[in-house]
Amino acid sequence: MTKIEFPYLKNLQFTTEHIKILKAQLILCPVKSTYKTIGLPQKLFLYEANDLNQIGYNLTDTLVTFNG
């Protein structure tokens, strides 16, 4: 399991302006030749975690696609 943090995302809650996030996209690109002996997974799952690193809601979109 790998943890990914978006440090500036939390800062949005402290802005005095009214904002709305319309779209967010996370693109993961494996480095070539690093996955020959162990293949890439067919699916990835994204979960929310709290400050204690406890897993919460599944955030995976059903439109996840892999370009290989």
Side-chain angles (χ1 to χ4, degrees):
M1 188 174 296
T2 301
K3 183 175 183 176
I4 301 172
E5 294 185 11
F6 302 96
Y8 297 103
L9 198 56
K10 287 187 176 183
N11 293 343
L12 292 177
Q13 68 184 336
F14 300 115
T15 183
T16 58
E17 300 175 28
H18 295 284
I19 62 168
K20 183 184 284 188
I21 298 173
L22 299 177
K23 182 178 180 180
Q25 192 172 23
L26 175 64
I27 300 173
L28 304 173
C29 300
V31 177
K32 289 184 180 181
S33 302
T34 60
Y35 50 89
K36 287 185 178 182
T37 56
I38 300 175
L40 297 174
Q42 292 296 314
K43 293 182 178 183
L44 294 176
F45 297 94
L46 181 65
Y47 290 90
E48 180 181 5
N50 63 17
D51 292 337
L52 299 175
N53 218 25
Q54 296 169 323
I55 296 175
Y57 297 102
N58 181 344
L59 303 175
T60 305
D61 192 325
T62 57
L63 300 175
V64 173
T65 58
F66 291 96
N67 298 320

